[in-house]
Amino acid sequence: MDMVAQVFSMVTDWGSIVGLFVGVVGGMVIGALPGFSASMGVALLIPVTYGMSPVAGLIMLVSVYTSAIYGGSITATLCHTPGTPASAATAIDGYKLTQQGRGMEAVGVCTVASAIGGAVGALALLFLSPPLGRFSLQFSSLEYFMLAIFGVTIIASLAGESVVKGLFSGILGLFLGTIGLDAITGAPRFTFGSIQLEDGIQFVPALIGMFSISQVMIIAEDIYKGRSTIIADEAEMQGRILPPWNEFKTLLPTIARSSVVGTIIGIIPAAGAGVSSWVCYSMGKKFSKHPELFGNGSFEGVASSESGNNAATGGALVPLITLGLPGSAVAAILLGGMLMHGLVPGASMFTEKAAVTYTIIVGFLLANILMGIIGLLIARYVAHVSTIPMGILGPVVVALSTIGTYAIRNNMFDVYVMLGFGALGYLLRKTGFATAPLVLGMVLGEIVENNWRRALILSRGNMFNYFLNRPISLVLLVLVVLSVFSPILMNYVNKKSREGAKS
Amino acid sequence: MKRHQDIAIGIVILIFCAFFIYLSLQLDRGSAMMPLILLGLMSFLGVIIILDGFKKTRKATEDKPVEPFLTLQNMKVPFTMFFFICLYILMFFLVGYYIATAVFLFASMCYLKQRSWLIIVAVSACFLAFTYFFLVKQLNVSIDALGLLGTYLQMSNV
Amino acid sequence: MKKFLCAILVVSCLVSGAFAADWPTKPITLICGYGAGGSSDLGCRYLAAALEKQLGVPVVVENRPGSGSWVAWNRFLHNTPADGYTFALVNLSAIFGHYDESNPRKETIDDFVLLANQAIDYQVIAIRPDETRFTDYKSLLEYAKTHELLVAAASTGITSGEASVAKMMEKVHGAKVVVVPVSGASETNTMFISGNVDFLIANVGDVILNPENYKNVVVFAPKRVAQLPDVPTEVELGLGNYLSFSARGYAYMKGVAPEIVEKMTAALSAAIVDPECVENMNKMGVNVELYSGKEYSDLLHSQLKQRLDTWDVKE
């Protein structure tokens, strides 16, 4: 009880409240800009926290983390410009909804799903951290590999019209992931002697090219076909922030499932919000009563990827706080921020420093709620982006994407990558190759290869035994098998039942 | 009779794969394995796409001819836009970021049939103010360092 | 065009030489080849703040991550005017890159003008506190002669401090050590704590943060380190005299006027031992040790020689 009072007084301290607000709003703005991702937001704000108390400073940093992930989905939904890699899945359905005049509702669903997902992740962090931290140690190279393979099996479900072409996109994405220095031997692969390619094709510039630049090219085409705004007819713009209750009700199971799955994926060090949003998206599709709507404007699609990626932020903090082991780029930066404030993450976070830890976690929970409230308040206004003439929106998106891409590493080469992928993305989209599998392939490529080769070393030459001794790998293997064969099985069952109905 | 464009696409894919398979074979075994597996799968899918293209070509009839995905005609507008973007980025080195951005926003908004000069000027000015005060001053994005000298510095570093 | 611009560069160098006397008159840029928010970046930012006090002009940190800082160094060495207004963070990768078997770099340590070293982090070997197969460095080596042991290392070959220690254990002590290449220090740590590898080669800075997770058996330093007073050195144990550390310092490119180099070295040396800067570095688990000029160069050359010997590479 003493603890609760202590936490309450620290959380309601002025410094913490200011940190919370600045963090949430700043994170939303940074996340919404293409190229400026959560890790950049956190890194940029670390110096700002110098003068703050540790509690206020860290509340601000974790708030930026979660709300930057959310902010990315606003631009993804309204302009097909995913601000962060985690919101690429949202762009697919969100933008379709915007075109149908339901952009405001899509933003509303994004907001609610993000807030709920984030809150679930925060609650897990609050109540289950120590056991979840130990759980995260059960994962190693083999499990990362199996998880990534599970991700690969999703590719087919994102394929769009042509399964063959969709698969090709996915494998092309995996292949593009092999460019750069081989992580195991350090030898350069397909770099053509360029030092810029040694780190591989940077994912965010490629993503921005494929989504934003190609979209602007399509916008140009549309304008010359006589359209002027994203939504077909301005009168069609719906004035609701959330879909009608009977429609929204059906989203709740999706949000709940994605929140839990997202939290678990977030805990796994190699995965993170990007993988989580795609896995949740495809699970949403598998469980949906209307899978045909996925890719054509499905609220379920938006809800599943959004709650998935924000739930992953809470999960990603688990290994950091309990073990001091940062599993992702953002977590590594947060570790720096914690050390700077004299907080050493690890077991002591839940013993001697428990009050501070719980305050930060409660702050994180409040940040998710605040983000939801602010999001709903501004949804009405931001949704009007879709009524701005495309002739203005297009050039602005290009200019923002360019500076955002440059800003990631202060490197012009990334801008060239963006350009190249812009043209590639346009050609792929026009010739019937879905871009979603390509993005997912690029996310997974490195995880698959490096961890397989690491697992081979870790198995000490006896992969079969090693596999049998790792229960989580076996579970994941079952999931992979199910994921591959369930469509076939479902087809069979459906056929049988139809035959049954006929006779 | 016109062939379906999938055939051409498939051929491009096979050439792409052949090129990278050639490069992969020069790597050591561990590094080459994954790329080779993926390229193998891609070639296989490329062949399927070609076969599919032939099938579609055969199926096409007088009333339902093969619809090409891309024609020079319908690629003209998007690739003009793309060309604008390329020019924009090149201009960073010639005239610096701010002038390039202003010129680009002007030119592309005109190209995209915006007629109101007031709006064009206002949007460009707001955007430049935003990049200068928020991105460059607050977030330390060094994009304004590119300029005439920057040409040499940055281009030769690729 | 290229010639013309080269001429501009040369002229600008000459001009800057002439004005070396009143250097610095404008902001100075510190190139950090690692991403914003990481430990290297924070170190640079603390130093920049302290250096501003010394020089009286703003010191701006510019992050240019890529290829383990080589994107930044490449640009810094070959495409940045040597006017004394840009300097860079250097670490041991800058020295060993040239000897990297799988991806050798053109540049060697001699392409940098070394100014001052800010931090040294010695390497230790740690075993899990509940380990039963071996209890100290000697029994670890003994056990490894008959059993293959796994250890994680960030990158492979001579550029990796961990892989070099493993190589030394193999070469000098006949231990069988298999290296699992991972992507960074936090991942080597995760591999160790989760029990996927048998022991840990890490920096002192990594093992002092959560001491309950590690039983440190040996430190590869010339004498015991202050943060780990109970951990013996290899020399003390009588098992060898291997030294291994990671070092972080600052350098110019060639061609900067000698007066400027001198002034900068003095200013950096003062900034590195600035009490606030030292305190902040210690909070991050980083051990500040100042070496400047010739001393700094000797320090890096000694480590270079050590590793070249270990890997049987000719200079």
Side-chain angles (χ1 to χ4, degrees), chain A residues 29-30 33 36 40 44 162-165 167-168 171-172 174-176 178-179 182 185 187-190 192 194-196 213 216-221 223-226 228 389-392 394-396 398-400 402-404 406-407 410-413 415-416 418-420 422-423 426-427 430-433 445 448-449 452-453 456, chain B residues 4-6 9 13 16-17 19-20 23-24 27-28 30-35 37-39 41-43 45-46 48-49 52 56 69-70 74-75 77-79 81-82 85-86 88-89 92-93 97 101 104-105 108-114 119-120 123 127 130-131 134-136 138-146 154-155 157-158:
Chain A
V29 173
I30 289 174
L33 294 172
F36 292 82
M40 238 176 126
L44 288 167
S162 160
V163 175
V164 174
K165 286 182 177 178
L167 279 177
F168 176 82
I171 296 169
L172 178 64
L174 289 170
F175 173 72
L176 292 175
T178 66
I179 292 175
D182 176 353
T185 63
R189 283 196 297 206
F190 317 124
F192 303 100
S194 163
I195 192 169
Q196 300 279 6
I213 301 297
V216 172
M217 292 167 74
I218 289 175
I219 280 180
E221 223 175 343
I223 288 175
Y224 277 79
K225 279 181 194 156
S228 64
M390 290 197 289
I392 293 175
V396 170
V398 170
L400 265 182
T402 309
I403 191 168
Y406 177 81
N410 285 321
N411 193 330
M412 273 314 275
F413 185 78
V415 177
Y416 308 144
M418 176 195 82
L419 265 183
Y426 176 82
L427 293 175
K430 283 289 159 181
T431 49
F433 290 85
V448 173
E449 185 191 9
W452 170 247
R453 289 164 72 186
L456 275 179
Chain B
H4 195 272
Q5 272 191 337
D6 272 353
I9 293 169
I13 289 172
F16 175 90
C17 291
F19 176 64
F20 278 97
L23 288 183
S24 305
L27 298 168
D28 67 73
S31 302
M33 187 153 88
M34 176 85 169
I37 294 174
L38 294 172
L39 288 164
L41 287 170
M42 280 156 73
S43 319
L45 292 170
I48 294 186
I49 290 173
D52 217 35
K56 283 180 189 159
F69 295 117
L70 297 165
N74 63 22
M75 287 207 301
V77 172
F79 276 91
M81 187 66 209
F82 185 72
I85 303 173
C86 295
Y88 167 48
I89 287 157
F92 285 1
F93 303 116
Y97 174 74
T101 305
F104 168 75
L105 288 175
S108 56
M109 281 191 223
C110 287
Y111 179 66
L112 298 179
K113 297 187 175 170
Q114 286 306 305
I119 290 180
I120 293 180
V123 170
F127 185 84
F130 171 76
T131 42
F134 187 63
L135 301 181
V136 175
Q138 294 300 311
L139 304 186
N140 274 334
V141 179
S142 66
I143 195 140
D144 54 344
L146 304 174
Q154 201 96 32
M155 296 293 270
N157 196 24
V158 171

Side-chain angles (χ1 to χ4, degrees), chain C residues 88-170:
Chain C
L89 175 80
V90 286
N91 55 26
L92 294 187
S93 309
I95 313 171
F96 296 118
H98 185 68
Y99 306 96
D100 185 351
E101 247 187 348
S102 47
N103 190 27
R105 309 286 175 182
K106 287 197 302 288
E107 297 78 9
T108 66
I109 183 172
D110 301 320
D111 288 302
F112 294 89
V113 177
L114 297 168
L115 300 169
N117 183 69
Q118 183 180 20
I120 285 195
D121 209 349
Y122 289 100
Q123 290 201 291
V124 291
I125 287 183
I127 57 177
R128 275 182 288 277
D130 56 358
E131 183 63 71
T132 51
R133 294 171 293 174
F134 32 79
T135 51
D136 54 17
Y137 185 48
K138 194 162 184 229
S139 54
L140 171 79
L141 290 174
E142 216 37 62
Y143 184 84
K145 276 178 192 157
T146 48
H147 301 78
E148 202 173 75
L149 293 182
L150 293 181
V151 70
S155 79
T156 49
I158 194 166
T159 50
S160 159
E162 297 88 70
S164 299
V165 170
K167 178 83 182 171
M168 176 278 293
M169 290 170 74
E170 220 177 291

Side-chain angles (χ1 to χ4, degrees), chain C residues 57-78:
Chain C
V57 292
V59 180
V60 187
V61 179
E62 199 171 289
N63 301 93
R64 290 190 178 273
S67 211
S69 198
W70 276 103
V71 169
W73 288 328
N74 229 12
R75 184 185 153 91
F76 173 74
L77 290 177
H78 304 303

Side-chain angles (χ1 to χ4, degrees), chain A residues 404-466:
Chain A
T405 305
Y406 177 81
I408 303 168
R409 304 194 301 171
N410 285 321
N411 193 330
M412 273 314 275
F413 185 78
D414 291 345
V415 177
Y416 308 144
V417 168
M418 176 195 82
L419 265 183
F421 273 79
L424 178 72
Y426 176 82
L427 293 175
L428 288 176
R429 284 167 77 174
K430 283 289 159 181
T431 49
F433 290 85
T435 45
L438 184 66
V439 172
L440 183 59
M442 285 182 76
V443 172
L444 298 173
E446 245 172 278
I447 309 182
V448 173
E449 185 191 9
N450 297 341
N451 285 301
W452 170 247
R453 289 164 72 186
R454 269 173 214 144
L456 275 179
I457 303 175
L458 288 174
S459 72
R460 302 179 201 237
N462 193 341
M463 197 43 151
F464 187 69
N465 270 348
Y466 184 65

